[in-house]
Amino acid sequence: MPSLRTEAEPLGARIRRLRKARGLTQRELAEPRYDRGFLAKVESGSRVPSDDVLAHLAHRLGLTADELRYGRPPGAAEELTGALETAYRELQQGGLDAAEREFARIERLAAAYRLPEVQCHARFYLGEVQWQRYDIPSAAKGFAHAMELAETASPRLRAMIVNRVAACRALSGDLGASVALVETALAQLRAAAPVDPDAELALVTALIHPLIEMGALRRARRAAEEGRRALASAHRKDISARYHRQAAQLWQAIGLVDRAEKDLSRALRLFTSIGYDRDAARSRWARGFLWRRLGKLDDAHAELLLARDLLAKAGSREGVLGATIELADVRRRQGALDEAAALAEGIRPLLDRSPDIEARAEVLRLLGLIARARGDLPEATALLEEAATAQEKSELRGALVATSLHLGDTLRARGLLDEAAAAYRRGVRAAAMSDSGPPD
């Protein structure tokens, strides 16, 4: 593996070192186009070589001009890219600190060797480390840092960066901006034929979740169907697997349960085959969510327990949080209210340090439903109102419809009929602004 020099090596000194390593005299390297005296000035640093001179010397030394200019070892881009992928698998398997050190090392090397695409990729993966730690502000900064070099990157890498930037915006409650960012990137990609199928698949995948949360199920379905067409030409297993996992959320939301189960099975199989343990565990979390929605509570409980443990092993705080929310809801439905409350309360400190409005509102709604089941209707009202306010502010219309229904029922049980009617109207307005009914 190439290693970074502790001090920058002057170009002339590099030419002299490489010439001597190959056993060449100055005359042998310089001729037939240049003479020994000219090369001596280049090596001493008193003469700056032109591009033509560099091309000649590089050819004689068996290098490319950029390899000679930047001291880049032959094959450095390929080696560093391979090292990035190895470190990313380590990240997926829980080695966050080691992966972060390797990504940082590669980022420095790529900068020194003037390999902007490799540098961009390393920056992207540094953002992924923060995402896995559930430090969304730091992750957003990392992805923005990668975006600075996105023009030098492949369409696939640019699409992956946009995917994550959009996810950060969605988690922070700006679903509209998330969708707009992806749709703009998708239009630009399609305008520059030929279209990279992996890039297109990564972008349409990024549209599905925010559109579902906005209640725009028809638009989400169009994105999922576009993804299925791109899938036929896609090459990357990880991008294909992420599409399958995300599409499953759409299929279950519109009642196509068998299709959702098949897509989740495909996602789990693909992630497992490439050693992406974190994403495989997230697929199990998604399957537990589906089974909970279907009323298969025992199966959901077992799957979510396994997903949570695997996500913890992989160091995915964001995944542990999501699986725990679903696990708490399963236990609530099973009547284990104390356990459900303990699970939900246990993750609130993590949410308090995060801008993840969707998850925070979901925990508030869950705690409100637990309070209602315990007979504490005033506490249930306060928690459900807080959840509904957060969902309304963030355009989480599908979730708002369900929360408004729960809030209205709670207020009606307290005899507060005018307030209950207002809560129901709030849900009706949210449903009218979407193309779906209640998600739950």
Side-chain angles (χ1 to χ4, degrees):
M1 178 60 57
S3 59
L4 189 62
R5 293 181 179 276
T6 57
E7 297 181 0
E9 183 182 30
L11 177 57
R14 182 180 308 126
I15 293 171
R16 181 171 58 249
R17 173 175 58 80
L18 292 170
R19 172 180 62 77
K20 289 183 175 180
R22 286 158 175 74
L24 299 173
T25 65
Q26 289 179 329
R27 178 174 285 104
E28 288 170 334
L29 178 58
E31 292 180 346
R33 295 181 61 181
Y34 306 99
D35 60 31
R36 187 197 66 76
F38 174 80
L39 182 58
K41 293 178 181 178
V42 169
E43 290 186 350
S44 68
S46 62
R47 181 73 179 265
V48 178
S50 66
D51 289 345
D52 286 343
V53 171
L54 270 181
H56 169 75
L57 297 177
H59 176 72
R60 297 282 289 162
L61 292 167
L63 302 171
T64 67
D66 278 351
E67 287 170 348
L68 179 58
R69 180 182 286 111
Y70 302 123
R72 181 194 305 164
E78 293 76 12
E79 287 192 49
L80 291 175
T81 299
L84 279 174
E85 296 305 320
T86 298
Y88 187 68
R89 279 190 292 275
E90 185 170 12
L91 174 67
Q92 284 269 345
Q93 294 164 7
L96 277 71
D97 292 342
E100 184 176 31
R101 288 192 297 271
E102 181 69 348
F103 296 148
R105 186 187 73 85
I106 293 170
E107 199 271 343
R108 292 192 300 270
L109 275 172
Y113 293 153
R114 304 300 197 276
L115 293 170
E117 181 169 9
V118 177
Q119 187 180 6
C120 179
H121 209 156
R123 288 181 178 184
F124 172 69
Y125 279 160
L126 284 166
E128 283 282 288
V129 173
Q130 301 307 323
W131 178 274
Q132 191 151 325
R133 288 179 173 145
Y134 198 54
D135 184 347
I136 304 305
S138 294
K141 290 179 182 177
F143 298 135
H145 198 209
M147 188 71 85
E148 293 173 1
L149 295 173
E151 290 302 316
T152 69
S154 66
R156 175 182 62 81
L157 180 53
R158 287 199 301 272
M160 291 166 62
I161 297 169
V162 169
N163 185 314
R164 280 304 200 209
V165 171
C168 289
R169 293 184 182 179
L171 281 179
S172 300
D174 201 345
L175 292 169
S178 173
V179 170
L181 175 67
V182 178
E183 288 182 335
T184 298
L186 192 56
Q188 292 171 345
L189 176 72
R190 288 170 171 167
V195 176
D196 183 305
D198 288 311
E200 184 177 29
L201 186 57
L203 289 173
V204 295
T205 298
L207 282 173
I208 297 172
H209 176 75
L211 287 173
I212 291 173
E213 295 305 321
M214 292 172 67
L217 294 189
R218 292 187 182 93
R219 290 171 66 190
R221 182 163 189 172
R222 282 199 297 272
E225 295 294 356
E226 289 173 3
R228 285 178 69 85
R229 290 191 289 272
L231 188 65
S233 303
H235 304 291
R236 294 273 305 201
K237 287 184 178 181
D238 56 334
I239 292 176
S240 297
R242 290 190 182 102
Y243 164 77
H244 284 301
R245 187 178 62 208
Q246 201 62 69
Q249 183 188 9
L250 183 277
W251 306 138
Q252 65 86 16
I254 61 177
L256 300 179
V257 176
D258 289 345
R259 199 165 175 179
E261 294 242 35
K262 288 178 182 177
D263 267 323
L264 286 174
S265 295
R266 291 189 185 105
L268 180 57
R269 185 169 60 251
L270 284 169
F271 283 132
T272 301
S273 73
I274 57 178
Y276 279 24
D277 293 358
R278 179 196 68 185
D279 278 313
R282 284 178 57 88
S283 299
R284 291 188 178 277
W285 159 24
R287 189 156 64 183
F289 172 80
L290 173 62
W291 288 345
R292 189 268 291 170
R293 292 287 300 275
L294 295 174
K296 299 164 63 174
L297 298 183
D298 290 341
D299 291 339
H301 181 242
E303 189 75 345
L304 288 167
L305 277 175
L306 177 58
R308 186 187 63 176
D309 292 346
L310 291 172
L311 287 162
K313 183 179 179 181
S316 176
R317 292 180 183 173
E318 176 260 348
V320 169
L321 175 77
T324 301
I325 292 173
E326 296 304 325
L327 187 58
D329 198 29
V330 168
R331 296 304 287 151
R332 175 187 70 84
R333 292 167 187 257
Q334 291 176 322
L337 299 182
D338 290 344
E339 182 182 345
L343 287 167
E345 289 289 358
I347 57 178
R348 286 189 77 177
L350 184 60
L351 283 169
D352 289 342
R353 300 191 298 271
S354 167
D356 191 343
I357 295 175
E358 181 184 344
R360 188 182 303 123
E362 187 60 32
V363 169
L364 289 168
R365 180 171 71 172
L366 176 57
L367 289 169
L369 293 176
I370 293 170
R372 190 173 75 180
R374 287 171 166 169
D376 189 347
L377 298 186
E379 176 69 5
T381 300
L383 288 164
L384 291 169
E385 174 60 37
E386 189 177 352
T389 299
Q391 290 163 347
E392 189 170 38
K393 182 178 180 181
S394 300
E395 299 183 293
L396 294 163
R397 298 189 188 107
L400 177 59
V401 173
T403 303
S404 297
L405 179 60
H406 293 310
L407 178 58
D409 290 347
T410 302
L411 289 165
R412 189 173 60 176
R414 295 178 64 188
L416 302 173
L417 301 185
D418 290 344
E419 291 87 343
Y424 291 139
R425 285 194 295 271
R426 189 184 204 175
V428 169
R429 287 195 302 271
M433 294 176 68
S434 65
D435 54 33
S436 67
D440 204 355

